[in-house]
Amino acid sequence: MCGIVAYVGGRTAYSILIKGLQRLEYRGYDSAGIALFNGKTNVYKCQGKVKDLQALVKGKEIAGSVGMGHTRWATHGEPSDRNAHPHRSMHGKFYVVHNGIIENYAHLKKELASREYTFQSETDTEALANLIENIYLEQKVDAELAVRLALTKVVGAYGLVIICEDEPGTLIAARKGSPLVIGVGEHEYFLASDATPIVEYTDRVVYLNDEEVAVITADSLDLKNLYNDVKTPDIKRIKLNIDNIDKGEYEHFMLKEIHEQPSSITDTFRGRIAMDESKIFLGGVLDVMPRLLEAKRIIIIACGTSWHAALVGEYLFEEYARMPVEVEYASEFRYRNPVIGKDDLVIAISQSGETADTLAAVRLVKKTGATILGICNVAGSSLSRETDAGVYTHAGIEIGVASTKAFTSQITVLTMMAFLLGNKRQALSAGDYKELIHELIRVPKQIAGMLKSEENIKKIAAAYKNVSHALYLGRGILFPVALEGALKLKEISYIHAEGYPAAEMKHGPIALIDEAMPVCVLALSDRLYEKTVSNIQEVKTRQGKVIAVATAGNKDIYRIADHVIEIPPCHEAMSPLLTIAPLQLLAYHIAVMRGCNVDQPRNLAKSVTVE
């Protein structure tokens, strides 16, 4: 959620911090701030965007080769200048930026108030800054020990960077449940919530693990856990193309990422399908393949858009691998007492690999002995380290808050897994297996061709840009696509939209249909087409407006729908990949026409790393 960036080395920190905060804007935020150390610590922070912070700092002292910055997404305390980070401890010994939630902050504040500490903000973070300072002053220990002792008293999640004024040239970082990555340079170090602010300077990184504390100077990185056990930093190489952080010729990152889907889907199956299209290779699951084949049930856990991908996976695994599947919201699953056995296979899906609820659900499952697979887009993420095995998507960095190419890459992985397990479990014949692989390989070119119809979609968007509500209907494997299409619209345009199984319309939603209610219907020429047409007729009878996503060549649909978006003929298994792209474009253009901030929708964050 919040974004952290920090630097220690020989360069002027300010420009690195500002550029880093700009790179982290995609995570979603409502205020920004920096702290720069140059003999003393100067703090500048304000509600608003990074450009507002730059305006605030103009003409002020920005010297210093040690500093940290933060973009805040409000949890405790409304968006305001005083609640923005960094936060200063009462006596000015410590400055803290924090991503996460300190759940017992009220208790800590009460305890500190009894020691005559006062607070300038409404945040949980300021309580932590004062707690560290109180231990530092009362127990007369060094800053690193004060941080470790304070964190043993904390309940909650945190990614922290800390400056102690008494220890110039040093940054202290800590992590539990909220990601932090350290970039390793030559006589310099960079810290950030993810690698996007770092990749410009180095490709060598250290991912902090939970309950680890790093003490960093320009020439050293010392790592230990909260209990003073020394750890050896595990330096990894990362591959991240800096060009992906630029919009290029596109007005918004979201539009760029929609148009990148032919490439991102290809990159996800590249090297995983035999040249003769007869086999699928998923190296990340080879070591656990016997356990996968013996699994009695699949449980897929995810949140948000990843949950919609999971629902598509449910249809795929049941149809092609003949395995029973349950799909769960990770945010609900983690607080239940689910019945899970050692014979179960649990698949956790998260674009970032850092989704707090999904990680908590994974940790719950680990206690049961079930096999856990991860599907995520970020190498080195927490999910990739906490699961037994897994498969990376290769969507590339996704900057737009509303997920597009990550969603279709997740579905691509689930499609390959379903076909692979179906083949190995002999639920698919060799001929059907090869045909399905061939159909998957065709998808990127089909999407690329379909994206050329964007002008038609823009015209439809213009007709509905001022509506207040919308319905999305789909049947079978396209029901999750209806959910995702509705989510995209509400996320970025702020129009209330709901997705439903088409057959469920008669069980309530049909009461909403009138001439002001657009209904987007996924009406492909498949085995359920005639039933879907009946649903369209029900809408039209009540003066509803119908936008049909239909198979190219179907002329009849034009007689009953108000607007038609065509997709190429495809195998049913590939239909989610092909139908979602026009719905993404429809939502995008409606949002742009409404003047919405498409890449950074209000109240949303890219990666939900707190509850």
Side-chain angles (χ1 to χ4, degrees):
M1 309 259 306
C2 310
I4 290 173
V5 62
Y7 175 77
V8 57
R11 313 187 202 201
T12 300
Y14 173 75
S15 60
I16 295 169
L17 299 182
I18 288 295
K19 185 179 288 187
L21 292 179
Q22 290 169 335
R23 292 269 169 83
L24 291 171
E25 285 189 291
Y26 77 98
R27 295 172 69 93
Y29 70 108
D30 48 59
S31 58
I34 57 172
L36 299 163
F37 183 82
N38 187 33
K40 67 172 185 175
T41 305
N42 292 309
V43 173
Y44 309 106
K45 58 183 184 175
C46 63
Q47 182 181 350
K49 299 299 184 182
V50 175
K51 64 181 180 181
D52 300 310
L53 175 63
Q54 289 176 282
L56 174 68
V57 172
K58 192 172 183 179
K60 294 185 170 64
E61 176 60 54
I62 58 170
S65 57
V66 179
M68 58 191 185
H70 189 268
T71 52
R72 176 179 186 253
W73 189 88
T75 53
H76 295 74
E78 66 182 8
S80 66
D81 292 354
R82 70 190 182 107
N83 287 332
H85 295 219
H87 285 286
R88 173 185 181 271
S89 61
M90 189 176 78
H91 299 293
K93 293 296 184 182
F94 289 87
Y95 296 82
V96 177
V97 293
H98 167 221
N99 185 11
I101 291 177
I102 307 302
E103 295 176 12
N104 62 332
Y105 83 102
H107 170 75
L108 296 175
K109 284 184 75 170
K110 184 177 180 181
E111 187 176 304
L112 288 161
S114 71
R115 292 176 165 83
E116 300 186 350
Y117 270 84
T118 59
F119 298 85
Q120 305 303 311
S121 76
E122 304 166 278
T123 67
D124 52 339
T125 304
E126 190 183 5
L128 178 57
N130 282 333
L131 176 63
I132 295 169
E133 182 184 79
N134 179 249
I135 292 171
Y136 177 75
L137 294 175
E138 285 195 357
Q139 299 189 27
K140 294 181 170 50
V141 295
D142 64 17
E144 175 254 318
L145 181 53
V147 169
R148 287 195 292 109
L149 291 173
L151 293 179
T152 62
K153 299 176 180 292
V154 163
V155 177
Y158 52 79
L160 295 165
V161 180
I162 300 161
I163 289 175
C164 176
E165 280 219 338
D166 294 339
E167 298 184 16
T170 301
L171 294 173
I172 300 173
R175 173 244 163 98
K176 182 180 179 182
S178 188
L180 270 182
V181 57
I182 302 170
V184 181
E186 295 295 328
H187 305 292
E188 61 182 356
Y189 288 88
F190 309 83
L191 293 95
S193 300
D194 61 49
T196 53
I198 290 174
V199 67
E200 181 175 348
Y201 308 102
T202 181
D203 65 350
R204 297 189 299 152
V205 301
V206 174
Y207 294 99
L208 279 187
N209 293 312
D210 276 358
E211 297 192 336
E212 286 186 341
V213 177
V215 180
I216 307 166
T217 69
D219 297 304
S220 64
L221 167 59
D222 296 318
L223 193 62
K224 59 179 67 175
N225 65 17
L226 293 187
Y227 311 102
N228 206 33
D229 299 318
V230 175
K231 302 290 182 178
T232 301
D234 180 14
I235 299 176
K236 298 182 180 296
R237 298 272 182 179
I238 58 169
K239 294 180 181 179
L240 187 60
N241 186 350
I242 198 169
D243 293 338
N244 290 338
I245 310 173
D246 186 88
K247 289 196 288 277
E249 64 186 31
Y250 295 95
E251 184 179 356
H252 297 97
F253 280 110
M254 183 179 178
L255 184 60
K256 176 181 181 238
E257 288 155 7
I258 291 170
H259 281 268
E260 285 176 341
Q261 287 176 114
S263 296
S264 58
I265 292 170
T266 300
D267 290 342
T268 297
F269 66 61
R270 191 194 309 277
R272 292 167 167 169
I273 293 177
M275 293 294 290
D276 64 357
E277 302 179 12
S278 65
K279 292 181 181 178
I280 292 171
F281 303 96
L282 296 177
V285 301
L286 280 178
D287 291 344
V288 296
M289 184 56 73
R291 289 155 69 184
L292 305 192
L293 296 178
E294 294 167 4
K296 299 293 190 293
R297 176 179 61 155
I298 296 174
I299 302 170
I300 312 179
I301 52 177
C303 297
T305 285
S306 296
W307 185 76
H308 295 157
L311 289 175
V312 174
E314 179 179 20
Y315 285 92
L316 292 167
F317 282 114
E318 289 187 347
E319 179 72 22
Y320 300 106
R322 303 304 298 148
M323 298 180 74
V325 182
E326 296 175 17
V327 176
E328 301 273 3
Y329 280 115
S331 55
E332 290 295 319
F333 184 84
R334 63 178 292 194
Y335 290 114
R336 295 211 330 260
N337 185 19
V339 179
I340 306 171
K342 292 182 179 180
D343 293 332
D344 289 329
L345 165 63
V346 176
I347 301 174
I349 309 175
S350 166
Q351 186 280 139
S352 66
E354 302 293 349
T355 307
D357 287 319
T358 304
L359 290 173
V362 165
R363 290 162 190 152
L364 173 66
V365 172
K366 287 172 79 169
K367 298 174 184 177
T368 70
T371 302
I372 311 173
L373 299 185
I375 297 176
C376 71
N377 192 38
V378 181
S381 64
S382 297
L383 184 64
S384 67
R385 298 198 301 272
E386 296 207 23
T387 48
D388 297 311
V391 182
Y392 285 116
T393 60
H394 293 300
I397 187 167
E398 188 177 64
I399 300 294
V401 168
S403 182
T404 52
K405 63 177 182 174
F407 175 68
T408 49
S409 291
Q410 289 169 350
I411 291 177
T412 302
V413 167
L414 290 165
T415 301
M416 289 190 292
M417 290 180 67
F419 295 168
L420 177 61
L421 289 177
N423 173 255
K424 290 188 173 295
R425 290 168 58 88
Q426 298 183 334
L428 281 175
S429 68
D432 288 343
Y433 183 43
K434 187 168 184 175
E435 179 193 354
L436 287 166
I437 292 171
H438 174 72
E439 291 295 327
L440 178 60
I441 290 173
R442 294 176 59 215
V443 165
K445 186 176 290 187
Q446 291 175 309
I447 293 178
M450 185 179 55
L451 290 172
K452 294 176 182 176
S453 65
E454 189 168 353
E455 285 303 314
N456 176 45
I457 294 172
K458 287 176 72 172
K459 292 176 183 176
I460 298 171
Y464 296 105
K465 65 181 180 181
N466 294 320
V467 302
S468 299
H469 308 277
L471 281 177
Y472 286 69
L473 303 178
R475 283 179 174 267
I477 199 170
L478 293 179
F479 161 53
V481 179
L483 291 173
E484 177 63 11
L487 177 62
K488 289 285 95 64
L489 186 67
K490 70 178 98 175
E491 278 183 314
I492 63 172
S493 75
Y494 317 138
I495 293 171
H496 173 248
E498 297 295 335
Y500 274 90
E504 286 295 304
M505 188 176 62
K506 292 189 289 291
H507 296 277
I510 199 167
L512 299 172
I513 303 297
D514 61 21
E515 64 278 1
M517 174 69 80
V519 181
C520 186
V521 185
L522 301 169
L524 301 193
S525 300
D526 56 19
R527 56 195 172 91
L528 295 173
Y529 174 71
E530 295 300 331
K531 294 186 180 298
T532 305
V533 167
S534 296
N535 298 130
I536 293 175
Q537 298 285 12
E538 290 165 349
V539 172
K540 295 301 296 179
T541 299
R542 289 156 182 83
Q543 286 75 53
K545 302 296 184 183
V546 172
I547 305 165
V549 179
T551 305
N554 178 3
K555 303 304 180 185
D556 293 337
I557 196 73
Y558 283 87
R559 289 195 288 270
I560 56 174
D562 297 276
H563 309 275
V564 177
I565 301 171
E566 293 187 347
I567 71 162
C570 66
H571 191 285
E572 182 179 341
M574 311 308 150
S575 60
L577 291 169
L578 288 165
T579 51
I580 190 55
L583 300 188
Q584 293 167 346
L585 282 174
L586 182 63
Y588 168 80
H589 286 294
I590 288 175
V592 169
M593 291 173 187
R594 289 167 66 89
C596 300
N597 187 338
V598 172
D599 286 335
Q600 297 171 36
R602 68 189 184 201
N603 304 331
L604 296 181
K606 181 65 178 173
S607 178
V608 184
T609 56
V610 297
E611 285 193 66

